[in-house]
Amino acid sequence: MRRLGVLILLALALPGTAWAHATLEQTSPKIGQRLAVSPRMVTLTFDQSVRVLSNGIQVFDAKGRIVSGPPRASLSDPRVIVAPLRRLPKGAYTVRWATISNDSHVGRGVFTFGVRVKAPPINQAYGASGPTTSEHIVRWLYFVSLALLTGGLGFRLLVLRGPLAPATERRFYRVTGIGVVAALEVGIVAFLLRAEDALQLPFTAFLYGDLSPFAHTTRLGQAFVAMELGFAVVAALLFLAWLTGRGGLLWLAFVLSLGLGSGLSLASHQSDDRGWLPSFADWVHLSAATLWIGGLLSLGLVVWNDRQLRRTAFWRFSEIAGPLVALVVAAGVYMSFKRFPAPHDLWDVGYGQLLLVKLGLVSLALSWGAFHHLVVRPRLDRPAVARHLPRSLAGEATVAVAILLLAAILVDSKPPAKPSNTVLQGSGSALPSAVVRK
């Protein structure tokens, strides 16, 4: 049986090896390289022989002009294709390539390099059009996933605390399970959509596209890899906690999922600023919003059918909701000051106008939460109040989810540019995507 198993593995492996599509192994110039002088040609080396297409190598300058000649296969090595270059002036350049491998599949990819300047990130390569409506929606779904997962875990550990009724415990694991699976799957879709724009490939061509430049050379790509691996561990911890009933595993999952939110902060424009404070403020902003909105969702989805628990849960959650919203507002105000060179940008620039709408929704949610805390909570024992409270909580949760949608749009929107004669202490280049994961 052991020999049979080995033979089956070999039978499965050998055809895959023989018919595997070509993989790019090396480039010259290197991906993201800054060169002191103009290169004479672009060279691509694959792990097997390839056929050259007419657009096998195209090199574009920053204005979209092709600066490369017709590509050809190397005479000495069929795995290598080259394209001559004219003398390149100082500037940033984008290389797009396409080849046919032995299995007849077309492989494609893109990378950048610079001549006497820093190479642009792959998502700013020539031909990249920027975020789309689909990306905004996917990022919003990602934020909702984090709210269900991290906010659900926080609600269970900080609000519900002790043992739960079996039905309530099942609802908790369903909500957080949906959250972690959605975080993994939606994260993949978000990465592919951004890579699709950078590589200018049809979505169906990704199976044979080279995504390594995007994954390895951009903050978003690096954060994606780390967060996918991290959320896979969170999923395993959540499953083991459900399987064994050990609450300590939930604490590990909660701390890890809360920390993974820093990946979004490090991949945002805030991380372009000097120092650690802007990125930390962005993480605090996102984490507090996730716990607050996730708590609202858990209050309705997990405990509201448990008559014995819902009063205690509402009472405890109202005590922590206020501080969480205060952190959201404080971190958001700080980042807004870092982001806007002039106050009038708030109403003159589209980015600022979106932010004003978002701040209006945050104010509405804050007022709604204050009403629940100051007016509803002392009267929770009255039947009329208890009867109408679910609708009121649903309204507050709807506003909170709308805030996440605006945050998803603002994350990928372009903030106002800084005047060239203005120096903002402690700030770098672009101001952020993440302001507003508020």
Side-chain angles (χ1 to χ4, degrees):
M1 289 297 294
R2 185 174 298 177
R3 292 181 180 179
L4 179 60
V6 172
L7 291 175
I8 292 174
L9 289 175
L10 288 174
L12 292 172
L14 290 177
T17 303
W19 295 100
H21 62 276
T23 301
L24 182 64
E25 290 189 330
Q26 187 176 350
T27 70
S28 178
K30 295 180 180 179
I31 296 171
Q33 186 177 7
R34 176 174 178 167
L35 301 172
V37 296
S38 171
R40 298 179 60 186
M41 64 180 63
V42 170
T43 304
L44 305 181
T45 303
F46 296 86
D47 63 347
Q48 61 180 258
S49 60
V50 293
R51 291 165 51 194
V52 183
L53 299 174
S54 59
N55 61 342
I57 299 177
Q58 290 183 314
V59 183
F60 300 87
D61 64 12
K63 295 183 179 179
R65 295 172 297 201
I66 296 180
V67 295
S68 57
R72 59 176 177 80
S74 171
L75 298 177
S76 59
D77 191 341
R79 300 174 304 162
V80 177
I81 60 173
V82 298
L85 295 173
R86 65 183 68 168
R87 184 174 181 82
L88 303 180
K90 178 181 178 181
Y93 296 90
T94 298
V95 180
R96 298 189 180 276
W97 58 267
T99 60
I100 298 180
S101 56
N102 291 330
D103 60 358
S104 300
H105 283 112
V106 178
R108 296 183 176 90
V110 61
F111 64 93
T112 61
F113 68 91
V115 176
R116 300 196 299 278
V117 298
K118 184 179 179 181
I122 197 68
N123 55 335
Q124 296 178 18
Y126 171 75
S129 59
T132 63
T133 301
S134 298
E135 289 186 66
H136 297 329
I137 294 173
V138 168
R139 188 177 287 269
W140 170 64
L141 292 174
Y142 194 73
F143 287 164
V144 173
S145 303
L146 292 182
L148 291 173
L149 173 60
T150 309
L153 285 167
F155 187 84
R156 172 67 179 88
L157 296 169
L158 303 176
V159 176
L160 301 182
R161 302 171 193 170
L164 300 178
T168 305
E169 191 83 352
R170 284 195 298 270
R171 286 194 294 270
F172 159 72
Y173 279 111
R174 286 170 185 166
V175 168
T176 51
I178 290 172
V180 72
V181 171
L184 287 166
E185 301 302 326
V186 176
I188 292 173
V189 175
F191 173 81
L192 291 179
L193 284 174
R194 185 61 62 87
E196 176 191 26
D197 173 58
L199 300 177
Q200 293 294 290
L201 295 179
F203 196 78
T204 54
F206 279 158
L207 184 61
Y208 303 104
D210 180 22
L211 305 185
S212 58
F214 187 79
H216 297 160
T217 65
T218 66
R219 291 194 306 270
L220 177 63
Q222 294 164 356
F224 161 77
V225 173
M227 292 174 73
E228 286 294 298
L229 292 174
F231 281 124
V233 175
V234 171
L237 291 171
L238 198 60
F239 177 74
L240 288 174
W242 169 75
L243 200 62
T244 63
R246 295 184 178 180
L249 295 174
L250 291 180
W251 279 106
L252 288 175
F254 174 61
V255 172
L256 182 55
S257 63
L258 199 61
L260 288 171
S262 63
L264 293 176
S265 301
L266 294 174
S268 73
H269 292 294
Q270 289 288 6
S271 61
D272 290 336
D273 293 330
R274 298 173 185 173
W276 57 270
L277 190 55
S279 291
F280 177 74
D282 185 72
W283 174 75
V284 169
H285 181 70
L286 174 63
S287 299
T290 297
L291 292 173
W292 166 50
I293 297 172
L296 280 173
L297 295 173
S298 295
L299 197 59
L301 297 174
V302 176
V303 304
W304 206 254
N305 289 332
D306 190 332
R307 294 183 178 181
Q308 295 180 344
L309 184 61
R310 64 187 180 190
R311 184 183 186 280
T312 303
F314 180 81
W315 191 273
R316 291 175 179 172
F317 179 70
S318 65
E319 291 178 340
I320 67 172
L324 288 174
V325 177
L327 286 175
V328 171
V329 173
V333 169
Y334 166 76
M335 289 188 292
S336 296
F337 277 113
K338 294 287 290 182
R339 188 162 307 160
F340 288 94
H344 62 79
D345 286 329
L346 276 170
W347 51 86
D348 288 343
V349 180
Y351 184 90
Q353 294 165 2
L354 279 173
L355 180 57
L356 286 177
V357 174
K358 182 171 176 290
L359 290 175
L361 288 177
V362 170
S363 300
L364 175 60
L366 183 59
S367 301
W368 212 323
F371 170 75
H372 286 154
H373 182 76
L374 300 175
V375 178
V376 175
R377 193 171 75 154
R379 298 169 175 81
L380 197 57
D381 290 330
R382 298 181 182 180
V385 173
R387 186 169 59 253
H388 292 95
L389 184 55
R391 295 180 182 177
S392 184
L393 287 173
E396 185 182 357
T398 300
V399 172
V401 172
I403 290 171
L404 290 182
L405 177 58
L406 280 176
I409 298 173
L410 282 165
V411 163
D412 289 324
S413 299
K414 186 177 181 180
K418 297 177 183 177
S420 57
N421 59 349
T422 301
V423 177
L424 298 180
Q425 185 177 6
S427 65
S429 51
L431 284 167
S433 56
V435 110
V436 265
R437 304 200 180 116
K438 298 170 183 169

